[in-house]
Amino acid sequence: MEDHHVTSISEDYEKTCWGCGLRLLLATYSPIFKCGWCGAITTEIRTRKPDSVCFSQWRRARDQFFIVVLLLFMSFVIGAGVWAVYPTIFSISYFCGGFHSAITAILAFTTISSFCLSAFKSAGAPVPITWGSYPVVGKNTLENYTFCTYCDMPKPPRAHHCRSCKMCIMDMDHHCPFIGNCVGAGNHRFFIAFLISVVISCLYVVMMTSYTAFHILPPPQLESLPSTYDSVASKVLMQILAGISSSVLSLSVRGLVLLYLAFACLSVDIGIAVLLWQQLYYVYEGKTYINHIGSSKNSVSAEKGCQNILHFFNCPYFSYRLFFIPANAAKLQESSYKIL
């Protein structure tokens, strides 16, 4: 009796790697596969269609509008603040006036310069790399690279494509319409410096305008307080509000500008302080906002700790010892963040 052996014949799926151009044989069908030679990741999943011309123009107009609004607000705060506070401060002494002028000039310079650097400096374009041909693509030279269909070029593992800037950005955190630019590896440090400068400047404006308004604001006209205990708190509150309202209505233009600057800068200061805390928290965790929301699946995050903040601000090695961080942590951190 003859034995019959039945063997299953597996069908190989032939795919082509975009990185080195080699043809690969896959045992099973997969829309995502990695080349064993160059390390490039190929995906056949359909990506989102490119934005229309009208949508791109709208995003560009939105960014330009926000930049103009921000520049006008900073100019108004600097100019109106100096005009409203100058007479009161210099009436105290010339030393106080000169000190206030120096602080104002330093804060204005740091705020505007950090804004220009974060807005007009490149956010971090990927370094061009050879791809597409086996003889010129070496072993593992495209490790974990993907292909950006929008830019039609390789995308590094720590990069993300920005629809507004229409380019891939290294370590992209987010696209900020107020600076009209992405926040990435090239300008992230300047963006945080801008936030720090805005927080300090707005706090200083609130302090100086409140001090000046206290000197020029007419004292509220409060009536005699009631002697009975019943509803004393409500009557006192109503009298104080009425007195403040009458004093505000009798203010000059300079007084109204001072009050507006105080409340506007206080509101801005609270919002920017929250954004600054969020940015520093992400730096502490060794990731960006896009990594946090999970939009970039192939990005690499460092281990969280104070060493991330020290490395982010390019602090010297001896500063690591102040936080009881091992000396080799600086070199390890530098190698993990080396992207350009």
Side-chain angles (χ1 to χ4, degrees), residues 122-337:
S122 175
V127 177
I129 190 171
T130 305
W131 62 280
S133 177
Y134 164 70
V136 296
V137 177
K139 180 69 173 177
N140 297 329
T141 54
L142 296 174
E143 185 67 23
N144 291 329
Y145 271 65
T146 55
F147 189 79
C148 181
T149 56
Y150 301 102
C151 300
D152 197 22
M153 62 181 298
K155 182 172 66 175
R158 299 181 67 94
H160 186 81
H161 184 84
C162 177
R163 300 169 60 189
S164 298
C165 298
K166 295 184 178 181
M167 62 179 294
C168 291
I169 305 297
M170 296 297 299
D171 278 347
M172 178 179 171
D173 186 84
H174 68 285
H175 181 86
C176 181
F178 288 96
I179 63 175
N181 194 8
C182 279
V183 178
N187 64 344
H188 200 172
R189 189 180 300 111
F190 299 112
F191 179 74
I192 290 187
F194 171 66
L195 297 182
I196 295 175
S197 180
V198 170
V199 170
I200 297 176
S201 300
C202 288
L203 182 61
Y204 183 75
V205 171
V206 171
M207 292 172 54
M208 297 307 300
T209 52
S210 300
Y211 175 80
T212 306
F214 177 77
H215 283 76
I216 69 172
L217 188 68
Q221 304 296 328
L222 301 179
E223 301 177 0
S224 58
L225 299 180
S227 56
T228 59
Y229 183 79
D230 297 336
S231 67
V232 171
S234 59
K235 292 183 178 179
V236 170
L237 181 61
M238 293 299 297
Q239 290 181 11
I240 292 177
L241 293 178
I244 294 177
S245 300
S246 61
S247 301
V248 170
L249 292 176
S250 61
L251 278 178
S252 61
V253 176
R254 190 161 67 94
L256 294 176
V257 170
L258 287 172
L259 289 181
Y260 172 78
L261 287 176
F263 285 105
C265 290
L266 181 61
S267 302
V268 172
D269 202 21
I270 295 174
I272 298 298
V274 173
L275 178 59
L276 176 61
W277 174 259
Q278 182 190 55
Q279 288 288 306
L280 293 177
Y281 177 73
Y282 290 153
V283 173
Y284 173 82
E285 288 198 334
K287 58 185 180 180
T288 61
Y289 174 72
I290 289 185
N291 301 147
H292 176 73
I293 62 178
S295 296
S296 183
K297 300 297 183 181
N298 62 334
S299 58
V300 180
S301 298
E303 184 180 357
K304 65 178 181 179
C306 295
Q307 68 274 5
N308 296 329
I309 297 180
L310 296 178
H311 178 268
F312 181 83
F313 290 104
N314 283 336
C315 297
Y317 288 158
F318 71 85
S319 60
Y320 286 73
R321 300 180 181 178
L322 299 177
F323 294 90
F324 302 99
I325 300 175
N328 59 347
K331 298 182 179 180
L332 294 176
Q333 197 73 9
E334 183 178 357
S335 61
S336 63
Y337 277 96

Side-chain angles (χ1 to χ4, degrees), residues 88-100:
T88 303
I89 300 300
F90 271 86
S91 63
I92 300 175
S93 65
Y94 285 102
F95 174 79
C96 294
F99 181 78
H100 165 69

